[in-house]
């Protein structure tokens, strides 16, 4: 039984994802990157993340060549930057770095200075699927801003999680007594 690709995409649009830029290239003129919602934590021992990158993306081959990349999670003021790196503004390759404030990470990868969180990684492992590679990045350097409001992609639009409720921690005695209606 196969699921229709259109139905799959529509269902995935209902799942919120943090917006990030995957950037690669130590040398000006050879940098590139893309916008993703497919980046997440893998482990803290060693600190590592995973990101799924389409093999047709310009950054795919560059990540393999460089052996390093950065994952830069965006904040609410970065929506145009996300569109630029997604290719929707007609800006390609190194020209995308004319937008935003960039530094060079420990690995040489471009790191967004004012990202919510930025992870400078070396390529530790790669797993191939039919259309994408899953890159495992071992973190060599990290920066973050607790004050920035993260950018989220949901239902084909950018959003911010402004209405976050007070956190509930695992093992919290009171949390065990909450019902699902408390969250709606």
């Amino acid at each position: 039984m196969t699921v229709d690709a259109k139905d799959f995409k529509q269902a995935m649009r209902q799942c919120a994802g943090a917006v990030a830029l995957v950037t690669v290239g130590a040398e000006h003129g050879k940098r590139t990157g893309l916008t993703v919602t497919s980046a997440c934590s893998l482990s803290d021992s060693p600190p590592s993340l995973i990101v799924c990158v389409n093999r047709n993306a310009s950054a795919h081959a560059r990540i393999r060549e460089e052996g390093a990349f950065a994952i830069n999670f965006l904040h609410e003021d970065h929506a145009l930057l996300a569109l630029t790196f997604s290719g929707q503004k007609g800006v390609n390759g190194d020209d995308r770095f004319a937008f935003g404030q960039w530094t060079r990470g420990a690995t040489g990868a471009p790191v967004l200075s004012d990202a919510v969180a930025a992870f400078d990684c070396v390529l530790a492992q790669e797993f191939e699927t039919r259309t994408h590679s899953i890159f495992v990045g071992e973190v060599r350097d990290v920066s973050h801003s607790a004050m920035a409001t993260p950018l989220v992609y949901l239902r084909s639009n950018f959003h911010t999680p402004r209405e976050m409720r007070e956190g509930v921690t695992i093992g919290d005695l009171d949390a065990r007594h909450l019902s699902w209606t408390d969250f709606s």
Side-chain angles (χ1 to χ4, degrees):
M1 181 176 180
T2 21
V3 173
D4 179 66
K6 195 175 188 179
D7 288 340
F8 174 77
K9 289 178 184 178
Q10 190 59 37
M12 287 305 301
R13 287 184 181 114
Q14 308 313 305
C15 304
V19 182
L21 302 180
V22 176
T23 53
V24 59
E27 294 179 43
H28 287 276
K30 293 187 176 183
R31 299 174 300 178
T32 192
L34 71 154
T35 304
V36 302
T37 56
S38 62
C40 66
S41 166
L42 175 63
S43 176
D44 65 353
S45 183
S48 51
L49 292 97
I50 62 171
V51 64
C52 303
V53 177
N54 190 304
R55 288 202 301 254
N56 293 328
S58 62
H60 187 275
R62 297 290 298 130
I63 290 170
R64 284 180 167 170
E65 290 168 18
E66 296 271 336
F69 59 94
I71 300 175
N72 306 275
F73 286 91
L74 304 182
H75 65 65
E76 64 184 329
D77 295 332
H78 287 146
L80 287 176
L81 191 58
L83 290 173
T84 300
F85 274 76
S86 73
Q88 294 185 40
K89 292 293 184 185
V91 181
N92 296 311
D94 199 71
D95 293 340
R96 293 175 176 172
F97 294 89
F99 306 92
Q101 298 173 352
W102 299 94
T103 62
R104 193 171 168 165
T107 66
V111 174
L112 187 61
S113 299
D114 61 342
V116 169
F119 300 87
D120 187 18
C121 304
V122 294
L123 179 59
Q125 287 184 299
E126 175 185 349
F127 303 93
E128 290 191 25
T129 70
R130 191 170 171 187
T131 58
H132 288 66
S133 290
I134 302 166
F135 292 119
V136 177
E138 213 169 275
V139 179
R140 293 294 184 250
D141 196 19
V142 63
S143 60
H144 56 88
S145 170
M147 300 308 293
T149 301
L151 187 64
V152 175
Y153 193 72
L154 174 66
R155 299 184 178 131
S156 302
N157 288 296
F158 294 116
H159 302 274
T160 58
R162 294 237 183 259
E163 296 183 20
M164 298 295 282
R165 296 176 185 235
E166 185 176 327
V168 176
T169 59
I170 296 175
D172 183 343
L173 184 59
D174 292 331
R176 292 183 221 162
H177 300 289
L178 293 175
S179 72
W180 285 108
T181 55
D182 293 332
F183 292 99
S184 57

